[in-house]
Amino acid sequence: LGFSHFLVHSEVVMRNRVIPLLVFFALLFHTHIALAHSPIEKMLPQAGAVLENAPTQIELWFEDPVELFQGSIVVVGEQNKNVTLEKPQLDPNDKRHVIAMLPNQLSPGKFSVKIEAISYDGHQVKENYQFEVKKPVRSQEEMLQNFKLERSSPEDGTILSKSPEQIELWFTDATKVTVFGVFDDQDKVVPIGEPIQDPANPNHFTVKMSSQLHKGTYSVHWYATVGQFEKNSVYYFAVQKYTPLKGSNGISKDSIFSHVGFLQFAHWLAFVGLLSLAGGSLFELFVARGRGNVPRWRMASNLFYGMASLGFIVEFILNRINYKQVQWNEFFTFSFVWIPIIQIILLTLGFWISKGVFRLTLLSTTVLLWAITGHSSTPSYGGTWSILLDGFHLLAVSVWLGGLIGLLLMIPKENSLDWLKVVGKTYSKWALGSILTIGISGVLMSNNYVTSYSIESFLASNWGKLIIIKMVLFIEILFIGFLQMRYLKKISIMGLRLLKQLKIEVYVAGIILVVAAVLIDLSPKEAEQGVFPKSAIIKEVKATIGITPLKMGTNEISIRFDNQPDFKQVRVKLTMPPDWIVEDNAFSLGNGEYRLTGDFLHAAGVVQMEVHAVTTQGEEITFPFEIRVPGVMF
């Protein structure tokens, strides 16, 4: 009798705890639109391009495949007038390549391209950039768009035998140097004179050095203007020996709470409802086999069905609000829209119409559909292999969680300990297999999502922090499971402790699903850090890249060549869409080793790197690399 009273009291306690938990979520969360995950690798026309001839189309290459709608690409001309543009199309051979035709020839002028695509995991990819179609008559400001430093003395990337007496600059057009500065390798200002313009050549400037320069590397910074237009750049030289520049570095971050909103609450509702319903149905069929308090489970399953349905509906409404500019017929073509609709249909059919094994099949299929709407559906996160792992992971979570809840709800009022002894032992075998599957698949998926990282980059990202939290909670689950197996062997004495541990496990599971609900909208790319590939072989010459430190700020880039130790010149080009481009000559240290130092990694994300090596015979060899800088992409 005392044991039955305990069970009734436990149900009241659980109900009184679950309801405040739901209220807490509703009050805490606010609507949040996720940041873009997939950067744009290339665009044509290029950002900032000044074209002699009007383009006939806009072309974009994304890092990952995207989904499009009518307004995914908008071209705006002068006076803020939209340019007629055909609906953008995906290249059938490359889903990362988008083409939008311009049916009418653009008249001369400046144009803005506004881009809004959607990645496979439902996140917005927004960008905008400008290009210009050349006009017959151009102002000084327009002419300066092609303005650059033509040459300098000392030259970029050279190591001088002694301190220079002056610095000379030759620009491509007449200009005015407004700011000029030289910094040593400790980031200290070097005293210099004022830039003096050559009266015979307005493109030429001379700057006298005020003192002798010590050994090491120096950076030269300049700003030049024509009218209201201004350009700036940096180049580097060294005296007697190359030394890396000192400076600050960091990884961009944001708050986890900025990613918590109603959408994450909807994810949580859907997770708890559907996973509990599917796993509980399996528990009823194959573990309990009709024994125990089945009516109580079936009453509770109504709550889980309602939670899952409400979660899917709220997700649909919030996605529609976020993409209100998209027409309805296009909106329903997005995978993160039509797949949840199918999930609601299967969920309803499985819950209200089907019974037994067929119900379990429909509910399990509904769970598996999540695997093709999240991170695993993106090719850069593993593609088919990650989808399979995600499917096993989700089913295992469902078996564990649904069985756990079913075990608590179906405990009969009479012969409770005997029922727990038999059914609990059977469930413990299912739970053990599920926990092992969850752990193994989770580790493999994380490894697919982030293939290269450091401990610092992993812990700096919100995605990495939540993965660590999940791991800690998972270890706690393992410990609780170990205690439960001990209690089952002495259930006549430890029955109350077993029930207490089961309830704690349910609460921990609820927290894990909160973490999962937030994780689904975070980008694993924030934790990525590395150079891909580390080595490239072109024309039998091997180039190996190293970057220290590989994060935003001042860096040192090392290039090592094998089979071709000496080049006439080695130049490195770094690009990051839409319009960031940096080019510098590398310092030659001999024996095929070259170095660059400076503020090369200015933001988190993917930086495209090209190493252009020119042989003594004038042949140029280009080595392509990709640098993944950790941090939040603002």
Side-chain angles (χ1 to χ4, degrees), residues 286-311:
F286 298 109
V287 180
R289 296 180 180 274
R291 296 167 293 184
N293 197 338
V294 176
R296 185 193 297 168
W297 156 250
R298 292 184 177 171
M299 286 182 60
S301 65
N302 290 311
L303 170 64
F304 295 130
Y305 170 77
M307 290 176 68
S309 300
L310 179 61

Side-chain angles (χ1 to χ4, degrees), residues 302-587:
N302 290 311
L303 170 64
F304 295 130
Y305 170 77
M307 290 176 68
S309 300
L310 179 61
F312 285 127
I313 291 170
V314 172
E315 284 179 4
F316 179 88
I317 293 172
L318 292 176
N319 281 325
R320 184 56 197 165
I321 292 172
N322 290 343
Y323 298 102
K324 57 182 179 294
Q325 75 279 16
V326 180
Q327 295 181 5
W328 280 100
N329 62 325
E330 293 181 300
F331 181 70
F332 284 111
T333 65
F334 299 154
S335 59
F336 64 89
V337 174
W338 63 264
I339 290 177
I341 291 175
I342 292 177
Q343 286 180 293
I344 293 177
I345 295 172
L346 293 177
L347 170 66
T348 303
L349 289 174
F351 184 75
W352 292 109
I353 301 176
S354 305
K355 295 185 181 299
V357 176
F358 192 49
R359 164 184 284 189
L360 179 60
T361 302
L362 289 175
L363 293 177
S364 299
T365 303
T366 309
V367 171
L368 286 172
L369 285 173
W370 266 323
I372 58 176
T373 58
H375 291 132
S376 55
S377 63
T378 304
S380 64
Y381 289 142
T384 303
W385 173 232
S386 286
I387 290 174
L388 291 174
L389 286 174
D390 200 5
F392 282 115
H393 190 81
L394 289 164
L395 288 178
V397 173
S398 180
V399 171
W400 163 63
L401 177 64
L404 184 64
I405 293 174
L407 185 67
L408 281 170
L409 291 175
M410 293 177 64
I411 297 176
K413 294 181 179 180
E414 298 179 358
N415 301 318
S416 304
L417 295 180
D418 293 337
W419 184 90
L420 268 176
K421 186 174 182 180
V422 175
V423 176
K425 286 184 177 180
T426 304
Y427 167 70
S428 66
K429 297 177 182 178
W430 285 80
L432 178 60
S434 299
I435 290 296
L436 290 175
T437 303
I438 292 169
I440 294 171
S441 60
V443 170
L444 291 176
M445 280 194 298
S446 297
N447 187 61
N448 283 347
Y449 292 167
V450 183
T451 56
S452 178
Y453 59 89
S454 65
I455 295 176
E456 182 184 13
S457 68
F458 192 86
L459 295 179
S461 68
N462 288 329
W463 186 84
K465 291 173 185 174
L466 291 182
I467 289 294
I468 296 298
I469 292 173
K470 280 188 70 176
M471 291 174 62
V472 172
L473 294 173
F474 181 76
I475 293 172
E476 183 177 352
I477 290 294
L478 291 177
F479 179 71
I480 292 173
F482 171 75
L483 292 179
Q484 289 169 356
M485 292 180 68
R486 291 186 58 190
Y487 295 157
L488 277 170
K489 294 179 181 179
K490 301 178 181 180
I491 194 166
S492 58
I493 303 174
M494 301 291 190
L496 293 179
R497 289 190 180 181
L498 175 62
L499 283 173
K500 182 179 179 181
Q501 294 296 331
L502 289 171
K503 290 172 184 177
I504 292 174
E505 191 172 354
V506 169
Y507 291 133
V508 174
I511 297 172
I512 289 177
L513 291 182
V514 170
V515 174
V518 179
L519 265 175
I520 196 173
D521 290 316
L522 291 177
S523 173
K525 294 183 185 295
E526 294 176 9
E528 282 191 314
Q529 185 179 48
V531 179
F532 300 89
K534 291 184 179 179
S535 297
I537 300 176
I538 307 292
K539 296 184 178 181
E540 299 182 352
V541 179
K542 181 180 179 182
T544 303
I545 302 298
I547 301 178
T548 307
L550 208 167
K551 51 188 176 182
M552 293 186 300
T554 304
N555 325 99
E556 183 178 32
I557 301 176
S558 64
I559 308 166
R560 175 75 187 182
F561 293 103
D562 294 325
N563 304 329
Q564 179 75 37
D566 293 316
F567 285 101
K568 181 180 178 181
Q569 182 189 58
V570 173
R571 190 162 184 81
V572 174
K573 180 179 181 181
L574 301 171
T575 59
M576 195 175 197
D579 54 9
W580 183 77
I581 300 175
V582 170
E583 290 188 71
D584 279 293
N585 289 333
F587 291 94

Side-chain angles (χ1 to χ4, degrees), residues 28-34 258-264 318 321-322:
L28 175 64
F29 292 170
H30 58 276
T31 303
H32 171 73
I33 300 176
S258 66
H259 297 276
V260 179
F262 281 119
L263 184 59
Q264 287 67 44
L318 292 176
I321 292 172
N322 290 343

